[in-house]
């Protein structure tokens, strides 16, 4: 087997919607408290007192284990796009000053041929992580423990075969392993600081001093013992709630946690090979109610920027009436994605950019302010047109030339001008708007006007009106 490990060092902070430049997460075990995420000069393992002294402008927040597990399961869903099974686990002993390691493993030995090799597979995964703006470390090895260790020390060079593990791990420190102090301290006390030195110790002595659990963990690291796991099942729906650390009253500040939620949504779409059509954003306020923001895209989308832009416009046009306490993002409708194009001059690529512009205009001006003229099945010209969804291409063109701009109220002319292309239309007696008139085009002040002349027998004579103008 070949395991690819994704390690998320800032996951405890991301799980509670904190800002990496303002907040850090504190772990606790008994009376001891220490930082488990990075924020400026605050580093994992630093005591809370020292962190507050060195960075008084930052805020330490307590760890939320359940939120971490929920977010880690969402990150695991992304890995299903490149392989299976997928395993998610937070490593680390329950003791003071231990720094947890949030890891997701995916077995890629059987799937790398589908992507054309290991490098294309890893590149695809990295593109998804970059699009979602997820901070991660990557390790690749024949065992899950070795892949997690390589990710922890920042070694991104893949180790493909079990026989290569002893040489690759020989110089790595024992302190990087998620082992308890009861194992590491006796080894460091006799001068064993690296895995290479540890492997040279007699197995009988290790078994007698540290017990069979430590020896089994060492064998699992080198692929000599099985590693039991429980595979993660990807969710079928995306419905994620994020409770904020503090109430947010400004839209610009609200965009930061919203981007984090959209990043998780992008990962969900990539794992299921889907694109988003309808999206709902629900805001939980401090003392008031706010209608949900429903976003219906003109074309399926699956990138964070494509979704964030119209949401930002909608929030700017109608800001929440009270500070926001929590966000909930729901994928209401998804569809099959459009294939990506490599050439910027391909028409389909230009069409995708055009729909993004239309979505932004609709979000800023309102749904009814942006529309496309469409044709209705009615022989009366004034009733044979309507407003359709922007970008609609399924409306049949009219059989004859018709105005693009219609007068809200027809303009009465003192006399009927000379016209061309005259059409005689009579009918509509079955409705409230009967018609008996002829139509034609005339030149009015240098513009082509659509002229209607009444033939209904008006005693005032056959009068003429301007009903519309050519485009």
């Amino acid at each position: 087997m070949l395991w690819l490990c994704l390690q998320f060092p800032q996951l405890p902070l991301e799980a509670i919607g904190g800002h990496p430049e303002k907040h850090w997460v504190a772990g606790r075990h008994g009376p001891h408290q220490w930082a488990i995420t990075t924020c400026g000069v605050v580093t994992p393992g630093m005591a809370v007192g020292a962190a507050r002294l060195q960075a008084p402008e930052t805020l330490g927040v307590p760890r939320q284990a359940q939120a971490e597990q929920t977010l880690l399961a969402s990150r695991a869903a992304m890995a299903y796009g490149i392989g299976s099974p997928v395993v998610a686990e937070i490593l680390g002993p329950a003791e003071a000053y231990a720094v947890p390691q949030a890891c997701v493993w995916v077995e890629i030995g059987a799937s790398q041929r589908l992507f054309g090799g290991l490098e294309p597979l890893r590149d695809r995964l990295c593109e998804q992580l970059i699009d979602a703006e997820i901070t991660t470390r990557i390790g690749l090895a024949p065992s899950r423990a070795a892949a997690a260790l390589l990710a922890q020390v920042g070694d991104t060079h893949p180790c493909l075969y079990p026989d290569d593990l002893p040489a690759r791990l020989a110089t790595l420190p024992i302190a990087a392993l998620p082992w308890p102090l009861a194992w590491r301290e006796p080894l460091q006390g006799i001068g064993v600081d690296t895995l290479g030195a540890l492997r040279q110790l007699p197995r009988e002595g290790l078994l007698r001093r540290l017990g069979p659990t430590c020896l089994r963990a060492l064998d699992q690291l080198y692929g000599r013992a099985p590693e039991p796991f429980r595979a993660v099942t990807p969710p079928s729906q995306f419905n994620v709630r994020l409770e904020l650390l503090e109430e947010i009253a400004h839209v610009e500040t609200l965009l930061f946690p919203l981007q984090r939620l959209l990043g998780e949504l992008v990962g969900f779409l990539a794992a299921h090979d889907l694109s988003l059509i309808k999206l709902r954003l629900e805001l939980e306020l401090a003392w008031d109610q706010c209608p949900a923001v429903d976003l219906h895209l003109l074309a399926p989308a699956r990138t964070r920027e494509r979704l964030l832009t119209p949401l930002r416009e909608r929030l700017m046009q109608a800001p929440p009436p009270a500070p926001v306490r929590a966000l909930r993002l729901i994928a209401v409708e998804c569809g099959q994605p459009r294939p990506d194009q490599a050439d910027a001059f391909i028409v389909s690529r230009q069409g995708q950019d055009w729909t993004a512009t239309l979505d932004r205009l609709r979000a800023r001006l309102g749904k009814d302010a942006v529309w496309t003229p469409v044709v209705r099945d009615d022989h009366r010209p004034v009733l044979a047109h309507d407003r359709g969804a922007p970008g609609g291409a399924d409306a049949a063109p009219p059989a004859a030339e018709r105005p693009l701009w219609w007068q809200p109220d027809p303009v009465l002319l003192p006399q009927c001008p000379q016209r061309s292309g005259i059409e005689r239309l009579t009918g509509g007696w079955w409705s409230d708007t009967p018609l008996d008139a002829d139509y034609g085009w005339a030149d009015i002040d240098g513009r082509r006007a659509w002229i209607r002349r009444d033939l209904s027998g008006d005693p005032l004579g056959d009068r003429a009106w301007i009903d519309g103008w050519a485009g």
Side-chain angles (χ1 to χ4, degrees):
M1 302 183 77
L2 186 60
W3 292 96
L4 187 148
C5 178
L6 300 173
Q7 194 174 103
F8 307 100
Q10 291 290 85
L11 184 129
L13 182 63
E14 295 166 344
I16 55 179
H19 198 288
E21 297 180 358
K22 300 178 181 179
H23 307 101
W24 47 272
V25 179
R28 182 167 187 169
H29 185 79
H32 304 283
Q33 296 186 62
W34 66 100
I36 61 175
T37 61
T38 302
C39 181
V41 298
V42 179
T43 57
M46 181 182 292
V48 166
R52 291 172 177 170
L53 182 64
Q54 296 188 31
E57 71 282 359
T58 63
L59 177 65
V61 293
R63 182 182 181 187
Q64 297 185 15
Q66 184 59 45
E68 293 178 24
Q69 294 289 350
T70 302
L71 179 57
L72 189 62
S74 176
R75 298 279 173 86
M78 298 180 62
Y80 268 96
I82 62 171
S84 178
V86 175
V87 184
E89 187 178 352
I90 298 179
L91 306 176
E95 59 186 25
Y97 299 100
V99 179
Q101 298 178 13
C103 298
V104 169
W105 295 269
V106 54
E107 206 287 314
I108 61 172
S111 61
Q112 57 179 320
R113 291 176 57 187
L114 300 175
F115 295 89
L118 180 60
E119 290 302 323
L121 182 148
R122 191 162 57 173
D123 291 344
R124 173 172 174 173
L125 179 62
C126 290
E127 289 176 2
Q128 296 175 4
L129 295 171
I130 292 173
D131 289 341
E133 291 193 349
I134 295 178
T135 302
T136 185
R137 304 188 186 112
I138 296 180
L140 208 155
S143 70
R144 289 194 296 117
L149 178 59
L150 292 176
Q152 175 67 18
V153 300
D155 187 350
T156 60
H157 186 69
C159 181
L160 304 179
Y161 306 104
D163 294 341
D164 297 338
L165 280 175
R168 286 293 306 276
L169 305 182
T171 59
L172 300 185
I174 294 177
L177 292 169
W179 287 5
L181 285 175
W183 297 355
R184 290 187 281 116
E185 284 186 342
L187 295 172
Q188 293 172 344
I190 60 175
V192 178
D193 294 326
T194 64
L195 286 171
L198 176 60
R199 290 191 75 247
Q200 294 177 2
L201 296 178
R203 291 178 62 87
E204 295 79 6
L206 286 176
L207 180 63
R208 184 175 61 255
R209 291 175 178 270
L210 302 181
T213 305
C214 177
L215 199 61
R216 183 170 60 251
L218 183 62
D219 289 340
Q220 290 174 343
L221 180 65
Y222 287 94
R224 296 197 302 258
E227 298 176 284
F229 61 85
R230 178 178 296 178
V232 176
T233 302
S236 58
Q237 302 289 334
F238 186 88
N239 187 333
V240 178
R241 179 181 180 272
L242 176 63
E243 186 171 354
L244 304 177
L245 286 176
E246 52 192 17
E247 296 176 354
I248 296 179
H250 302 287
V251 172
E252 288 293 341
T253 310
L254 190 64
L255 294 179
F256 180 78
L258 178 58
Q259 290 182 44
R260 209 276 283 170
L261 280 179
L262 289 175
E264 301 303 319
L265 174 58
V266 168
F268 170 85
L269 296 173
H272 292 77
D273 195 22
L274 296 173
S275 289
L276 189 71
I277 299 176
K278 291 183 181 180
L279 175 68
R280 171 169 292 179
L281 173 64
E282 297 179 354
L283 306 177
E284 299 180 20
L285 306 184
W287 62 75
D288 204 345
Q289 294 183 349
C290 181
V293 179
D294 291 317
L295 184 64
H296 188 176
L297 300 175
L298 296 175
R302 59 187 305 175
T303 62
R304 189 180 60 86
E305 291 75 11
R306 180 73 171 78
L307 302 175
L308 178 63
T309 300
L311 281 177
R312 180 198 290 120
E313 295 292 345
R314 293 285 296 276
L315 291 173
M316 288 294 186
Q317 295 299 315
V324 180
R325 287 181 173 176
L327 304 173
R328 181 180 294 275
L329 200 62
I330 305 172
V332 179
E333 182 180 349
C334 298
Q336 295 300 318
R338 293 183 176 180
D340 294 333
Q341 301 290 340
D343 191 345
F345 297 98
I346 295 179
V347 176
S348 59
R349 181 65 167 267
Q350 297 173 359
Q352 294 176 18
D353 297 338
W354 175 241
T355 55
T357 303
L358 290 176
D359 283 327
R360 183 173 182 177
L361 288 174
R362 294 178 75 195
R364 175 173 296 186
L365 304 177
K367 185 187 301 184
D368 298 331
V370 183
W371 50 274
T372 295
V374 296
V375 177
R376 292 178 55 188
D377 187 15
D378 198 304
H379 72 284
R380 292 163 291 182
V382 72
L383 299 177
H385 62 93
D386 202 351
R387 296 186 178 189
D394 56 346
E401 186 179 9
R402 292 289 183 264
L404 179 62
W405 306 106
W406 292 84
Q407 286 286 144
D409 297 312
V411 178
L412 179 62
L413 296 172
Q415 61 182 4
C416 183
Q418 184 177 0
R419 296 168 297 162
S420 63
I422 298 177
E423 301 177 42
R424 176 69 182 271
L425 298 175
T426 303
W429 50 266
W430 58 87
S431 67
D432 295 333
T433 55
L435 176 65
D436 188 6
D438 59 22
Y439 292 83
W441 292 97
D443 186 282
I444 304 292
D445 297 331
R447 298 177 61 190
R448 294 187 69 214
W450 178 250
I451 307 298
R452 170 173 56 90
R453 189 167 67 94
D454 188 16
L455 301 175
S456 59
D458 192 321
L460 296 179
D462 295 341
R463 297 185 294 176
W465 289 265
I466 300 176
D467 271 2
W469 304 87

